[in-house]
Amino acid sequence: MLEIKCPWCGPRDESEFAYGGEAHINRPDPETSDDLAWAHYLYFRDNVQGLHAERWNHAYGCRRWFNAVRDTVNYRFHAVYEIGEDPPVEVAK
Amino acid sequence: MTEAETHPAFAGAVLATRTPGQPGVSVAERSGIGTINLRGQPDNTGFMEAAAAVLGNALPTTPNTVAFADDIESLWLAPTEWLVRCDLDQQARLEQELEDALADQFTAINDLSGYYTTLTIIGRNAAELLARGTPLDVHPRVFAPGQCAQTVFAHAGIILMPRMAETSCFDMLVRRSFADYVWRWLDDAMRCLD
């Protein structure tokens, strides 16, 4: 079980949170993007080994979304930061 | 107005461990509480000042804390959300006062009196009973009166509030539709404490 530090509520148990997938995926303009760009937006994810920027929702707590950097190898959280901010540590490519 | 009467499944009932003498913990519903959900921006001083004037105390901006004023409790739920609790017979008046005072503000005021019911869990084993169902640390060293927390209890979302410093006592706000389930779960968990 992971302990995740909500930016507002502090450290809480993983069972209070919902995972939101990879962070920093920008929605392309549907008017100008082609099918390939749209498919990448919808379906393609990085699947990195190492530090991964991802979204979490404190579903049973304050219900806020936030970003986190987690190591996909050992599950250790390296940072939490607000939606709209850049990752405070360098993430794997 | 919504219904905020006692829950039909356990109205008037009390759960208690059967230790001879003082029971280790007991659970009963506390009815007659009015609940208002209040939303607004904490950096909007117009909103914060108008709300404080009605509620008698500033809304808490520290996460997971409660502000008290006379018979009104304001619980921090999220950076832009609070839960105001008062006597049920004061609820309609308080809601109207908030609506009047915040008419010019970017806000949302909703009556949730029929949404939550409150279970009061009291006794020296109260924290031990809660620990069986919630991952939250409810030890008085880290979770004391003046604090509140939204968490999960046996898969049900709840709001927990320690009430008295000298006695182990918690208010558990649970959604009315989950209350029967949580009540039975508590009943079962208490058998292990005897």
Side-chain angles (χ1 to χ4, degrees):
Chain A
M1 192 67 79
L2 302 175
E3 187 181 75
I4 302 171
K5 187 167 175 274
C6 169
W8 289 276
C9 301
R12 293 289 186 93
D13 195 271
E14 181 191 352
S15 55
E16 292 185 10
F17 294 84
Y19 181 63
E22 188 178 327
H24 310 297
I25 294 171
N26 295 318
R27 186 174 187 267
D29 183 352
E31 297 293 327
T32 56
S33 66
D34 56 13
D35 285 354
L36 184 64
W38 196 252
H40 272 270
Y41 162 67
L42 286 179
Y43 303 117
F44 284 63
R45 299 295 180 263
D46 281 347
N47 193 27
V48 298
Q49 183 180 28
L51 297 190
H52 182 233
E54 56 196 22
R55 299 178 302 176
W56 287 86
N57 177 243
H58 193 187
Y60 279 104
C62 60
R63 300 189 299 287
R64 294 309 101 156
W65 283 96
F66 59 94
N67 291 323
V69 174
R70 179 179 60 94
D71 192 327
T72 58
V73 177
N74 59 18
Y75 282 38
R76 183 171 298 150
F77 280 83
H78 287 254
V80 292
Y81 55 104
E82 289 190 31
I83 296 288
E85 292 179 353
D86 291 325
V89 294
E90 194 166 345
V91 296
K93 289 279 182 286
Chain B
M1 272 298 287
T2 48
E3 287 299 313
E5 303 303 320
T6 53
H7 195 286
F10 44 80
V14 177
L15 290 175
T17 50
R18 290 153 297 177
T19 324
Q22 185 77 17
V25 58
S26 66
V27 180
E29 182 185 24
R30 201 151 74 88
S31 58
I33 300 173
T35 309
I36 300 167
N37 186 274
L38 178 61
R39 300 206 60 168
Q41 300 293 331
D43 52 8
N44 176 357
T45 49
F47 165 79
M48 294 299 276
E49 284 170 8
V54 173
L55 299 172
N57 199 348
L59 289 168
T61 51
T62 306
N64 299 302
T65 58
V66 187
F68 300 91
D70 294 330
D71 297 330
I72 301 172
E73 300 169 346
S74 305
L75 284 69
W76 185 97
L77 294 186
T80 60
E81 186 175 6
W82 294 268
L83 195 74
V84 178
R85 301 174 83 214
C86 59
D87 286 338
L88 187 57
D89 52 10
Q90 299 294 315
Q91 188 275 337
R93 179 190 58 80
L94 190 63
E95 186 181 347
Q96 191 59 51
E97 282 181 20
L98 281 170
E99 279 179 7
D100 293 343
L102 301 173
D104 301 333
Q105 306 293 339
F106 180 57
T107 184
I109 303 159
N110 288 295
D111 174 17
L112 296 187
S113 303
Y115 181 63
Y116 287 111
T117 191
T118 302
L119 301 179
T120 296
I121 300 163
I122 186 165
R124 64 179 187 277
N125 293 129
E128 191 185 342
L129 176 65
L130 285 173
R132 284 167 191 271
T134 177
L136 187 79
D137 189 352
V138 292
H139 193 282
R141 198 166 49 222
V142 289
F143 196 52
Q147 290 175 272
C148 63
Q150 298 166 93
T151 183
V152 57
F153 185 87
H155 303 289
I158 58 161
I159 302 173
L160 262 185
M161 229 180 116
R163 293 213 67 90
M164 286 182 261
E166 61 273 20
T167 319
S168 193
C169 178
F170 298 86
D171 268 4
M172 180 198 282
L173 279 69
V174 55
R175 287 173 180 80
R176 209 156 265 264
S177 52
F178 278 86
D180 188 21
Y181 158 74
V182 168
W183 181 268
R184 287 162 194 264
W185 204 99
L186 286 165
D187 188 19
D188 187 58
M190 283 165 87
R191 291 173 208 276
C192 312
L193 293 174
D194 275 325

